[in-house]
Amino acid sequence: MINNLNFEIISKDGIARNGLLHLNHGTIKTPAFMPVGTGGCVKAILKRDLEENGAQIILGNTLHLWMRPGMDIIQSHKGLHNFIQWQKPILTDSGGFQVFSLKELCKITEEGVKFASPINGSKLFLTPEKSIQIQSILNSDIVMIFDECTPYQIGSHIITMEEACDSMKLSLRWSKRSMDEFKRQENKNFIFGIVQGGFYENLREESINGLLDIGFNGYAIGGLSVGEPKEYLHQILEFISPKIPDNFPKYLMGVGTPEDIVNAVYNGVDMFDCVMPTRNARNGWLFTRYGNIKIKNSKYKNDLNNLDPTCDCYTCINFTRSYLHHLQITKEINASMLNTIHNLHFYLNMMNEIRESIHERKFDIWKKNFLEDRSSNI
Ligand SMILES: [Zn+2]
């Protein structure tokens, strides 16, 4: 078991908790939202604006960075932090999720996954060992194990318990190989295991027990938000979160809407990532305190209000909805930039409010008000 003195819980309100996660490039306050910077940048926002809006840690993607620019370029910069000039913590996902999203184009064996590069068609082979070697070169503060993300369904076929079981057991064997390679690399960063098992509670329990036996620095809950009915997410989360010992950081992967995040914090989750604020921003879908806005809608053409009256981001302070509507309609690059600043500010500020309310032991009332405001759609 790796020692876990690097995560401190500093206050609690019910199951929700405020923590400090001490990483090699700095300490992050949890619960934390991690903007997604797949290929070495968070799209449509500069590092300066990420920092100004309170981003503490960002995500990178093993598979994308391995394919382009390639590890020789990263090595010549002595790691991803220097290459992208982001000196705060970085978490990298292992590449598994992206490989498996290629579906019929990849072939899974016990050893690893063979697939054709979506960039140039060249044959690639990703194994747990290779993924950890890449993440060691990237010098990620948090390395994720290489696993198979079990989908909810393939076509019209809903994954059976037997299929989910085979997949979960393969992921456990790959988790062990990931940890062995992490130790072989003498990697001084953190490594997280990922709980799989689809939508079957017995398999989820077997997965977490297997991961705890190997002993990681933190535990992620994977395989959720993969096309399942919404209620399953919360059902599995309520089941699995208490089974991860409280002294470890708990990370819910790829989730989600502001409401999903608030509910997950209520269930003791500490870390989140999702493309939603950045991807939706580029499509003109904006999150506000009083519901979501599709800025392309013609009702905003003459709307002289600021985007969100409660927000003090650069976009909201300076521009009317009418101007943001115009930029979106005319497909200006600035639309993506201003929308991304706002959406990330909204998520990161929400996390700030969550942490403050937990600290003041007022999370329940904050949650109730926030969810009511969000559904009011003013
Ligand atoms: Zn704003």
Side-chain angles (χ1 to χ4, degrees):
M1 179 80 85
I2 287 179
N3 83 51
N4 207 53
L5 299 173
N6 299 65
F7 182 59
E8 299 173 59
I9 293 172
I10 51 173
S11 55
K12 280 186 93 170
D13 187 8
I15 301 170
R17 67 256 193 96
N18 273 345
L20 292 175
L21 182 57
H22 304 290
L23 301 167
N24 286 337
H25 286 84
T27 293
I28 65 168
K29 295 175 183 170
T30 63
F33 179 79
M34 307 182 280
V36 178
T38 306
C41 83
V42 181
K43 289 187 199 302
I45 188 166
L46 297 174
K47 174 191 114 158
R48 178 193 64 200
D49 293 329
L50 274 174
E51 288 177 342
E52 270 182 18
N53 287 289
Q56 310 180 77
I57 172 171
I58 61 172
L59 242 76
N61 184 283
T62 296
L63 177 65
H64 287 84
L65 293 164
W66 180 39
M67 291 189 297
R68 281 192 310 205
M71 287 306 104
D72 50 342
I73 304 285
I74 301 287
Q75 246 163 346
S76 66
H77 286 79
K78 299 189 169 59
L80 184 59
H81 294 81
N82 292 339
F83 182 56
I84 69 173
Q85 279 302 303
W86 171 264
Q87 298 300 343
K88 292 184 179 183
I90 296 174
L91 178 149
T92 45
D93 62 8
S94 64
F97 184 79
Q98 287 71 27
V99 171
F100 297 117
S101 67
L102 300 171
K103 296 192 178 91
E104 63 276 6
L105 298 174
C106 73
K107 186 171 185 296
I108 304 168
T109 63
E110 182 66 34
E111 185 58 20
V113 187
K114 284 183 183 146
F115 61 101
S117 161
I119 294 169
N120 57 19
S122 64
K123 286 182 182 153
L124 297 171
F125 187 43
L126 196 54
T127 63
E129 289 78 13
K130 185 74 191 171
S131 174
I132 300 300
Q133 287 158 14
I134 295 167
Q135 294 183 77
S136 296
I137 293 169
L138 293 170
N139 194 22
S140 318
D141 295 84
I142 301 177
V143 168
M144 301 303 298
I145 57 105
F146 186 74
D147 68 347
E148 184 182 27
C149 178
T150 315
Y152 173 67
Q153 61 185 56
I154 298 173
S156 59
H157 171 72
I158 293 178
I159 300 298
T160 64
M161 190 191 291
E162 199 181 0
E163 290 164 336
C165 183
D166 287 347
S167 171
M168 180 273 291
K169 286 186 170 166
L170 177 67
S171 286
L172 270 184
R173 295 192 293 275
W174 285 359
S175 302
K176 176 75 169 65
R177 282 170 52 191
S178 296
M179 177 55 106
D180 290 346
E181 184 62 27
F182 185 81
K183 288 178 178 164
R184 248 194 311 273
Q185 296 283 324
E186 297 183 6
N187 191 315
K188 297 286 184 280
N189 290 305
F190 270 21
I191 182 166
F192 280 21
I194 305 175
V195 183
Q196 293 290 354
F199 297 87
Y200 302 97
E201 290 182 348
N202 56 325
L203 300 183
R204 288 274 172 181
E205 188 157 14
E206 199 177 331
S207 175
I208 183 63
N209 289 337
L211 293 171
L212 286 167
D213 282 346
I214 299 168
F216 290 94
N217 300 111
Y219 295 89
I221 303 163
L224 293 176
S225 209
V226 289
E228 73 279 11
K230 194 78 168 175
E231 63 270 23
Y232 284 23
L233 188 157
H234 297 292
Q235 205 177 312
I236 288 293
L237 191 57
E238 277 174 32
F239 175 79
I240 201 66
S241 180
K243 296 195 163 39
I244 303 171
D246 271 347
N247 54 331
F248 291 101
K250 305 178 188 187
Y251 163 28
L252 180 56
M253 301 181 84
V255 174
T257 65
E259 287 74 11
D260 289 336
I261 290 179
V262 168
N263 285 318
V265 167
Y266 183 77
N267 283 300
V269 176
D270 308 296
M271 299 164 68
F272 302 89
D273 79 283
C274 191
V275 293
M276 204 173 272
T278 40
R279 180 180 290 166
N280 287 15
R282 299 194 299 281
N283 294 324
W285 172 293
L286 300 163
F287 295 92
T288 82
R289 181 78 180 199
Y290 300 107
N292 301 330
I293 282 180
K294 288 179 182 162
I295 200 69
K296 265 187 195 165
N297 194 313
S298 59
K299 71 179 176 183
Y300 300 117
K301 188 174 180 185
N302 287 313
D303 189 336
L304 302 186
N305 291 304
N306 290 356
L307 177 57
D308 180 341
T310 70
C311 181
D312 60 358
C313 81
Y314 175 78
T315 305
C316 288
I317 284 177
N318 287 289
F319 305 105
T320 61
R321 290 176 178 181
S322 173
Y323 180 61
L324 296 172
H325 169 84
H326 163 71
L327 292 181
Q328 194 71 35
I329 291 289
T330 52
K331 298 188 168 60
E332 289 287 351
I333 289 172
N334 290 23
S336 295
M337 296 168 68
L338 292 174
N339 292 349
T340 300
I341 287 176
H342 168 75
N343 271 0
L344 276 181
H345 183 93
F346 178 85
Y347 267 65
L348 295 166
N349 185 59
M350 172 179 77
M351 303 316 293
N352 252 334
E353 290 188 17
I354 287 173
R355 289 192 298 266
E356 276 173 24
S357 69
I358 293 172
H359 184 67
E360 293 167 1
R361 299 181 68 85
K362 290 178 179 165
F363 180 61
D364 269 358
I365 184 76
W366 178 89
K367 175 173 176 275
K368 181 172 170 290
N369 290 339
F370 179 82
L371 296 178
E372 269 175 21
D373 286 349
R374 281 276 302 158
S375 62
S376 62
N377 263 319
I378 289 172

PDB file of all heavy atoms in Angstrom, residues 307-308 311-317 341-343 345-346, ligand 1:
ATOM      1  N   LEU A 307     -24.563  38.624 -19.605  1.00  0.00           N
ATOM      2  CA  LEU A 307     -24.900  37.212 -19.744  1.00  0.00           C
ATOM      3  C   LEU A 307     -25.496  36.632 -18.463  1.00  0.00           C
ATOM      4  O   LEU A 307     -26.565  36.033 -18.469  1.00  0.00           O
ATOM      5  CB  LEU A 307     -23.632  36.441 -20.160  1.00  0.00           C
ATOM      6  CG  LEU A 307     -23.727  34.951 -20.295  1.00  0.00           C
ATOM      7  CD1 LEU A 307     -24.811  34.579 -21.283  1.00  0.00           C
ATOM      8  CD2 LEU A 307     -22.378  34.393 -20.725  1.00  0.00           C
ATOM      9  N   ASP A 308     -24.779  36.787 -17.354  1.00  0.00           N
ATOM     10  CA  ASP A 308     -25.245  36.245 -16.079  1.00  0.00           C
ATOM     11  C   ASP A 308     -25.096  37.360 -15.039  1.00  0.00           C
ATOM     12  O   ASP A 308     -23.971  37.772 -14.723  1.00  0.00           O
ATOM     13  CB  ASP A 308     -24.378  35.032 -15.707  1.00  0.00           C
ATOM     14  CG  ASP A 308     -24.805  34.394 -14.386  1.00  0.00           C
ATOM     15  OD1 ASP A 308     -25.505  35.055 -13.588  1.00  0.00           O
ATOM     16  OD2 ASP A 308     -24.409  33.233 -14.154  1.00  0.00           O
ATOM     17  N   CYS A 311     -22.511  36.915 -12.285  1.00  0.00           N
ATOM     18  CA  CYS A 311     -21.143  36.488 -12.629  1.00  0.00           C
ATOM     19  C   CYS A 311     -20.235  37.692 -12.810  1.00  0.00           C
ATOM     20  O   CYS A 311     -20.638  38.693 -13.416  1.00  0.00           O
ATOM     21  CB  CYS A 311     -21.185  35.670 -13.917  1.00  0.00           C
ATOM     22  SG  CYS A 311     -19.571  35.060 -14.434  1.00  0.00           S
ATOM     23  N   ASP A 312     -19.008  37.583 -12.290  1.00  0.00           N
ATOM     24  CA  ASP A 312     -18.072  38.696 -12.457  1.00  0.00           C
ATOM     25  C   ASP A 312     -16.886  38.303 -13.339  1.00  0.00           C
ATOM     26  O   ASP A 312     -15.783  38.794 -13.172  1.00  0.00           O
ATOM     27  CB  ASP A 312     -17.601  39.215 -11.090  1.00  0.00           C
ATOM     28  CG  ASP A 312     -16.894  38.144 -10.279  1.00  0.00           C
ATOM     29  OD1 ASP A 312     -16.800  36.993 -10.765  1.00  0.00           O
ATOM     30  OD2 ASP A 312     -16.430  38.454  -9.168  1.00  0.00           O
ATOM     31  N   CYS A 313     -17.136  37.436 -14.313  1.00  0.00           N
ATOM     32  CA  CYS A 313     -16.049  37.064 -15.235  1.00  0.00           C
ATOM     33  C   CYS A 313     -15.848  38.184 -16.261  1.00  0.00           C
ATOM     34  O   CYS A 313     -16.696  39.076 -16.409  1.00  0.00           O
ATOM     35  CB  CYS A 313     -16.344  35.735 -15.924  1.00  0.00           C
ATOM     36  SG  CYS A 313     -17.456  35.848 -17.339  1.00  0.00           S
ATOM     37  N   TYR A 314     -14.758  38.120 -16.996  1.00  0.00           N
ATOM     38  CA  TYR A 314     -14.408  39.131 -18.000  1.00  0.00           C
ATOM     39  C   TYR A 314     -15.536  39.305 -19.013  1.00  0.00           C
ATOM     40  O   TYR A 314     -15.894  40.426 -19.387  1.00  0.00           O
ATOM     41  CB  TYR A 314     -13.113  38.695 -18.697  1.00  0.00           C
ATOM     42  CG  TYR A 314     -12.697  39.580 -19.823  1.00  0.00           C
ATOM     43  CD1 TYR A 314     -12.070  40.798 -19.579  1.00  0.00           C
ATOM     44  CD2 TYR A 314     -12.935  39.212 -21.153  1.00  0.00           C
ATOM     45  CE1 TYR A 314     -11.688  41.629 -20.624  1.00  0.00           C
ATOM     46  CE2 TYR A 314     -12.558  40.031 -22.199  1.00  0.00           C
ATOM     47  CZ  TYR A 314     -11.935  41.242 -21.928  1.00  0.00           C
ATOM     48  OH  TYR A 314     -11.566  42.055 -22.972  1.00  0.00           O
ATOM     49  N   THR A 315     -16.131  38.186 -19.446  1.00  0.00           N
ATOM     50  CA  THR A 315     -17.190  38.231 -20.452  1.00  0.00           C
ATOM     51  C   THR A 315     -18.418  38.959 -19.908  1.00  0.00           C
ATOM     52  O   THR A 315     -18.979  39.837 -20.560  1.00  0.00           O
ATOM     53  CB  THR A 315     -17.566  36.792 -20.862  1.00  0.00           C
ATOM     54  OG1 THR A 315     -16.369  36.138 -21.296  1.00  0.00           O
ATOM     55  CG2 THR A 315     -18.605  36.761 -21.964  1.00  0.00           C
ATOM     56  N   CYS A 316     -18.847  38.582 -18.692  1.00  0.00           N
ATOM     57  CA  CYS A 316     -20.069  39.157 -18.132  1.00  0.00           C
ATOM     58  C   CYS A 316     -19.899  40.617 -17.750  1.00  0.00           C
ATOM     59  O   CYS A 316     -20.837  41.399 -17.839  1.00  0.00           O
ATOM     60  CB  CYS A 316     -20.528  38.343 -16.926  1.00  0.00           C
ATOM     61  SG  CYS A 316     -21.196  36.743 -17.418  1.00  0.00           S
ATOM     62  N   ILE A 317     -18.721  40.993 -17.329  1.00  0.00           N
ATOM     63  CA  ILE A 317     -18.495  42.389 -16.944  1.00  0.00           C
ATOM     64  C   ILE A 317     -18.519  43.310 -18.170  1.00  0.00           C
ATOM     65  O   ILE A 317     -18.998  44.432 -18.097  1.00  0.00           O
ATOM     66  CB  ILE A 317     -17.145  42.519 -16.187  1.00  0.00           C
ATOM     67  CG1 ILE A 317     -17.305  41.998 -14.768  1.00  0.00           C
ATOM     68  CG2 ILE A 317     -16.647  43.957 -16.182  1.00  0.00           C
ATOM     69  CD1 ILE A 317     -16.042  42.006 -13.965  1.00  0.00           C
ATOM     70  N   ILE A 341     -14.428  31.461 -21.413  1.00  0.00           N
ATOM     71  CA  ILE A 341     -14.075  32.147 -20.161  1.00  0.00           C
ATOM     72  C   ILE A 341     -15.268  32.087 -19.206  1.00  0.00           C
ATOM     73  O   ILE A 341     -15.130  31.719 -18.037  1.00  0.00           O
ATOM     74  CB  ILE A 341     -13.670  33.618 -20.422  1.00  0.00           C
ATOM     75  CG1 ILE A 341     -12.297  33.675 -21.081  1.00  0.00           C
ATOM     76  CG2 ILE A 341     -13.668  34.429 -19.111  1.00  0.00           C
ATOM     77  CD1 ILE A 341     -11.850  35.073 -21.457  1.00  0.00           C
ATOM     78  N   HIS A 342     -16.450  32.418 -19.718  1.00  0.00           N
ATOM     79  CA  HIS A 342     -17.622  32.437 -18.831  1.00  0.00           C
ATOM     80  C   HIS A 342     -17.950  31.036 -18.290  1.00  0.00           C
ATOM     81  O   HIS A 342     -18.141  30.864 -17.076  1.00  0.00           O
ATOM     82  CB  HIS A 342     -18.856  33.027 -19.509  1.00  0.00           C
ATOM     83  CG  HIS A 342     -20.069  32.775 -18.685  1.00  0.00           C
ATOM     84  ND1 HIS A 342     -20.348  33.483 -17.530  1.00  0.00           N
ATOM     85  CD2 HIS A 342     -21.011  31.799 -18.757  1.00  0.00           C
ATOM     86  CE1 HIS A 342     -21.425  32.989 -16.954  1.00  0.00           C
ATOM     87  NE2 HIS A 342     -21.854  31.958 -17.677  1.00  0.00           N
ATOM     88  N   ASN A 343     -18.042  30.047 -19.188  1.00  0.00           N
ATOM     89  CA  ASN A 343     -18.459  28.710 -18.715  1.00  0.00           C
ATOM     90  C   ASN A 343     -17.474  28.128 -17.708  1.00  0.00           C
ATOM     91  O   ASN A 343     -17.872  27.527 -16.706  1.00  0.00           O
ATOM     92  CB  ASN A 343     -18.617  27.751 -19.899  1.00  0.00           C
ATOM     93  CG  ASN A 343     -20.024  27.783 -20.480  1.00  0.00           C
ATOM     94  OD1 ASN A 343     -20.879  28.531 -19.990  1.00  0.00           O
ATOM     95  ND2 ASN A 343     -20.253  26.985 -21.498  1.00  0.00           N
ATOM     96  N   HIS A 345     -15.466  29.892 -15.793  1.00  0.00           N
ATOM     97  CA  HIS A 345     -15.621  30.695 -14.570  1.00  0.00           C
ATOM     98  C   HIS A 345     -16.835  30.187 -13.781  1.00  0.00           C
ATOM     99  O   HIS A 345     -16.775  30.054 -12.552  1.00  0.00           O
ATOM    100  CB  HIS A 345     -15.795  32.172 -14.915  1.00  0.00           C
ATOM    101  CG  HIS A 345     -15.884  33.050 -13.703  1.00  0.00           C
ATOM    102  ND1 HIS A 345     -14.787  33.656 -13.150  1.00  0.00           N
ATOM    103  CD2 HIS A 345     -16.934  33.401 -12.915  1.00  0.00           C
ATOM    104  CE1 HIS A 345     -15.149  34.347 -12.088  1.00  0.00           C
ATOM    105  NE2 HIS A 345     -16.454  34.209 -11.922  1.00  0.00           N
ATOM    106  N   PHE A 346     -17.917  29.892 -14.497  1.00  0.00           N
ATOM    107  CA  PHE A 346     -19.127  29.418 -13.826  1.00  0.00           C
ATOM    108  C   PHE A 346     -18.832  28.128 -13.044  1.00  0.00           C
ATOM    109  O   PHE A 346     -19.186  27.988 -11.871  1.00  0.00           O
ATOM    110  CB  PHE A 346     -20.254  29.177 -14.851  1.00  0.00           C
ATOM    111  CG  PHE A 346     -21.500  28.640 -14.214  1.00  0.00           C
ATOM    112  CD1 PHE A 346     -22.430  29.496 -13.644  1.00  0.00           C
ATOM    113  CD2 PHE A 346     -21.729  27.264 -14.122  1.00  0.00           C
ATOM    114  CE1 PHE A 346     -23.568  29.006 -13.022  1.00  0.00           C
ATOM    115  CE2 PHE A 346     -22.868  26.765 -13.504  1.00  0.00           C
ATOM    116  CZ  PHE A 346     -23.784  27.640 -12.948  1.00  0.00           C
TER     117      PHE A 346
HETATM  118 ZN    ZN B   1     -19.546  35.267 -16.676  1.00  0.00          ZN
END
